[in-house]
PDB file of all heavy atoms in Angstrom:
ATOM      1  N   HIS A1222     -30.211 -22.259  29.510  1.00  0.00           N
ATOM      2  CA  HIS A1222     -29.621 -23.027  28.407  1.00  0.00           C
ATOM      3  C   HIS A1222     -30.678 -23.224  27.331  1.00  0.00           C
ATOM      4  O   HIS A1222     -31.759 -23.702  27.677  1.00  0.00           O
ATOM      5  CB  HIS A1222     -29.104 -24.354  28.925  1.00  0.00           C
ATOM      6  CG  HIS A1222     -27.615 -24.408  28.957  1.00  0.00           C
ATOM      7  ND1 HIS A1222     -26.841 -24.589  27.850  1.00  0.00           N
ATOM      8  CD2 HIS A1222     -26.732 -24.319  30.013  1.00  0.00           C
ATOM      9  CE1 HIS A1222     -25.612 -24.606  28.192  1.00  0.00           C
ATOM     10  NE2 HIS A1222     -25.488 -24.411  29.532  1.00  0.00           N
ATOM     11  N   GLU A1223     -30.389 -22.886  26.120  1.00  0.00           N
ATOM     12  CA  GLU A1223     -31.391 -23.086  25.083  1.00  0.00           C
ATOM     13  C   GLU A1223     -30.722 -23.804  23.907  1.00  0.00           C
ATOM     14  O   GLU A1223     -29.523 -23.798  23.760  1.00  0.00           O
ATOM     15  CB  GLU A1223     -31.938 -21.728  24.556  1.00  0.00           C
ATOM     16  CG  GLU A1223     -32.619 -20.889  25.610  1.00  0.00           C
ATOM     17  CD  GLU A1223     -33.967 -21.472  26.032  1.00  0.00           C
ATOM     18  OE1 GLU A1223     -34.502 -22.267  25.219  1.00  0.00           O
ATOM     19  OE2 GLU A1223     -34.445 -21.138  27.104  1.00  0.00           O
ATOM     20  N   LYS A1224     -31.551 -24.447  23.066  1.00  0.00           N
ATOM     21  CA  LYS A1224     -30.982 -24.945  21.871  1.00  0.00           C
ATOM     22  C   LYS A1224     -32.028 -24.901  20.736  1.00  0.00           C
ATOM     23  O   LYS A1224     -33.227 -24.789  20.973  1.00  0.00           O
ATOM     24  CB  LYS A1224     -30.437 -26.331  22.041  1.00  0.00           C
ATOM     25  CG  LYS A1224     -31.473 -27.396  22.440  1.00  0.00           C
ATOM     26  CD  LYS A1224     -30.765 -28.732  22.529  1.00  0.00           C
ATOM     27  CE  LYS A1224     -31.733 -29.877  22.675  1.00  0.00           C
ATOM     28  NZ  LYS A1224     -31.040 -31.158  22.666  1.00  0.00           N
ATOM     29  N   LEU A1225     -31.489 -24.993  19.518  1.00  0.00           N
ATOM     30  CA  LEU A1225     -32.348 -24.869  18.370  1.00  0.00           C
ATOM     31  C   LEU A1225     -31.845 -25.914  17.363  1.00  0.00           C
ATOM     32  O   LEU A1225     -30.663 -25.965  17.003  1.00  0.00           O
ATOM     33  CB  LEU A1225     -32.190 -23.431  17.793  1.00  0.00           C
ATOM     34  CG  LEU A1225     -32.900 -23.151  16.482  1.00  0.00           C
ATOM     35  CD1 LEU A1225     -34.417 -23.341  16.602  1.00  0.00           C
ATOM     36  CD2 LEU A1225     -32.589 -21.711  16.053  1.00  0.00           C
ATOM     37  N   ASP A1226     -32.757 -26.775  16.891  1.00  0.00           N
ATOM     38  CA  ASP A1226     -32.377 -27.769  15.906  1.00  0.00           C
ATOM     39  C   ASP A1226     -32.539 -27.251  14.532  1.00  0.00           C
ATOM     40  O   ASP A1226     -33.415 -26.418  14.271  1.00  0.00           O
ATOM     41  CB  ASP A1226     -33.237 -29.039  16.104  1.00  0.00           C
ATOM     42  CG  ASP A1226     -32.930 -29.731  17.424  1.00  0.00           C
ATOM     43  OD1 ASP A1226     -31.732 -29.643  17.830  1.00  0.00           O
ATOM     44  OD2 ASP A1226     -33.826 -30.288  18.023  1.00  0.00           O
ATOM     45  N   PHE A1227     -31.768 -27.762  13.656  1.00  0.00           N
ATOM     46  CA  PHE A1227     -31.927 -27.323  12.254  1.00  0.00           C
ATOM     47  C   PHE A1227     -31.479 -28.429  11.319  1.00  0.00           C
ATOM     48  O   PHE A1227     -30.911 -29.394  11.700  1.00  0.00           O
ATOM     49  CB  PHE A1227     -31.056 -26.025  12.006  1.00  0.00           C
ATOM     50  CG  PHE A1227     -29.628 -26.171  12.271  1.00  0.00           C
ATOM     51  CD1 PHE A1227     -28.812 -26.760  11.325  1.00  0.00           C
ATOM     52  CD2 PHE A1227     -29.079 -25.773  13.491  1.00  0.00           C
ATOM     53  CE1 PHE A1227     -27.446 -26.901  11.597  1.00  0.00           C
ATOM     54  CE2 PHE A1227     -27.769 -25.947  13.749  1.00  0.00           C
ATOM     55  CZ  PHE A1227     -26.910 -26.450  12.799  1.00  0.00           C
ATOM     56  N   LYS A1228     -31.834 -28.211  10.086  1.00  0.00           N
ATOM     57  CA  LYS A1228     -31.437 -29.155   9.045  1.00  0.00           C
ATOM     58  C   LYS A1228     -30.682 -28.380   7.935  1.00  0.00           C
ATOM     59  O   LYS A1228     -31.309 -27.538   7.282  1.00  0.00           O
ATOM     60  CB  LYS A1228     -32.649 -29.826   8.464  1.00  0.00           C
ATOM     61  CG  LYS A1228     -32.703 -31.289   8.810  1.00  0.00           C
ATOM     62  CD  LYS A1228     -33.896 -31.926   8.096  1.00  0.00           C
ATOM     63  CE  LYS A1228     -34.411 -33.096   8.860  1.00  0.00           C
ATOM     64  NZ  LYS A1228     -35.677 -33.571   8.318  1.00  0.00           N
ATOM     65  N   LEU A1229     -29.405 -28.681   7.790  1.00  0.00           N
ATOM     66  CA  LEU A1229     -28.636 -27.964   6.770  1.00  0.00           C
ATOM     67  C   LEU A1229     -28.885 -28.713   5.465  1.00  0.00           C
ATOM     68  O   LEU A1229     -28.725 -29.924   5.346  1.00  0.00           O
ATOM     69  CB  LEU A1229     -27.168 -28.049   7.109  1.00  0.00           C
ATOM     70  CG  LEU A1229     -26.503 -26.892   7.777  1.00  0.00           C
ATOM     71  CD1 LEU A1229     -25.083 -27.214   8.039  1.00  0.00           C
ATOM     72  CD2 LEU A1229     -26.558 -25.711   6.854  1.00  0.00           C
ATOM     73  N   HIS A1230     -29.191 -27.978   4.451  1.00  0.00           N
ATOM     74  CA  HIS A1230     -29.473 -28.586   3.140  1.00  0.00           C
ATOM     75  C   HIS A1230     -28.374 -28.190   2.194  1.00  0.00           C
ATOM     76  O   HIS A1230     -28.210 -27.012   1.871  1.00  0.00           O
ATOM     77  CB  HIS A1230     -30.822 -28.074   2.610  1.00  0.00           C
ATOM     78  CG  HIS A1230     -31.315 -28.832   1.440  1.00  0.00           C
ATOM     79  ND1 HIS A1230     -31.744 -30.091   1.513  1.00  0.00           N
ATOM     80  CD2 HIS A1230     -31.409 -28.470   0.130  1.00  0.00           C
ATOM     81  CE1 HIS A1230     -32.125 -30.509   0.293  1.00  0.00           C
ATOM     82  NE2 HIS A1230     -31.922 -29.536  -0.539  1.00  0.00           N
ATOM     83  N   PHE A1231     -27.598 -29.191   1.801  1.00  0.00           N
ATOM     84  CA  PHE A1231     -26.602 -28.891   0.773  1.00  0.00           C
ATOM     85  C   PHE A1231     -27.139 -29.298  -0.568  1.00  0.00           C
ATOM     86  O   PHE A1231     -27.256 -30.452  -0.925  1.00  0.00           O
ATOM     87  CB  PHE A1231     -25.304 -29.724   1.072  1.00  0.00           C
ATOM     88  CG  PHE A1231     -24.579 -29.288   2.286  1.00  0.00           C
ATOM     89  CD1 PHE A1231     -24.699 -30.009   3.442  1.00  0.00           C
ATOM     90  CD2 PHE A1231     -23.747 -28.179   2.175  1.00  0.00           C
ATOM     91  CE1 PHE A1231     -23.995 -29.596   4.560  1.00  0.00           C
ATOM     92  CE2 PHE A1231     -23.027 -27.772   3.314  1.00  0.00           C
ATOM     93  CZ  PHE A1231     -23.170 -28.490   4.543  1.00  0.00           C
ATOM     94  N   THR A1232     -27.509 -28.291  -1.367  1.00  0.00           N
ATOM     95  CA  THR A1232     -27.992 -28.595  -2.689  1.00  0.00           C
ATOM     96  C   THR A1232     -26.821 -28.823  -3.611  1.00  0.00           C
ATOM     97  O   THR A1232     -25.685 -28.423  -3.327  1.00  0.00           O
ATOM     98  CB  THR A1232     -28.857 -27.446  -3.252  1.00  0.00           C
ATOM     99  OG1 THR A1232     -28.005 -26.267  -3.263  1.00  0.00           O
ATOM    100  CG2 THR A1232     -30.031 -27.186  -2.389  1.00  0.00           C
ATOM    101  N   CYS A1233     -27.095 -29.369  -4.751  1.00  0.00           N
ATOM    102  CA  CYS A1233     -26.035 -29.578  -5.716  1.00  0.00           C
ATOM    103  C   CYS A1233     -25.494 -28.225  -6.256  1.00  0.00           C
ATOM    104  O   CYS A1233     -24.352 -28.051  -6.559  1.00  0.00           O
ATOM    105  CB  CYS A1233     -26.454 -30.432  -6.880  1.00  0.00           C
ATOM    106  SG  CYS A1233     -26.544 -32.150  -6.455  1.00  0.00           S
ATOM    107  N   THR A1234     -26.447 -27.321  -6.275  1.00  0.00           N
ATOM    108  CA  THR A1234     -26.097 -26.001  -6.746  1.00  0.00           C
ATOM    109  C   THR A1234     -25.054 -25.379  -5.876  1.00  0.00           C
ATOM    110  O   THR A1234     -24.138 -24.668  -6.347  1.00  0.00           O
ATOM    111  CB  THR A1234     -27.351 -25.066  -6.705  1.00  0.00           C
ATOM    112  OG1 THR A1234     -28.237 -25.576  -7.634  1.00  0.00           O
ATOM    113  CG2 THR A1234     -27.020 -23.672  -7.061  1.00  0.00           C
ATOM    114  N   SER A1235     -25.084 -25.662  -4.599  1.00  0.00           N
ATOM    115  CA  SER A1235     -24.150 -25.011  -3.734  1.00  0.00           C
ATOM    116  C   SER A1235     -22.695 -25.487  -3.997  1.00  0.00           C
ATOM    117  O   SER A1235     -21.775 -24.861  -3.502  1.00  0.00           O
ATOM    118  CB  SER A1235     -24.513 -25.231  -2.278  1.00  0.00           C
ATOM    119  OG  SER A1235     -24.681 -26.538  -2.039  1.00  0.00           O
TER     120      SER A1235
END
Side-chain angles (χ1 to χ4, degrees):
Chain A
H1222 251 284
E1223 298 288 340
K1224 64 178 189 173
L1225 174 61
D1226 292 328
F1227 58 82
K1228 248 185 208 170
L1229 261 177
H1230 190 72
F1231 291 101
T1232 59
C1233 283
T1234 295
S1235 52

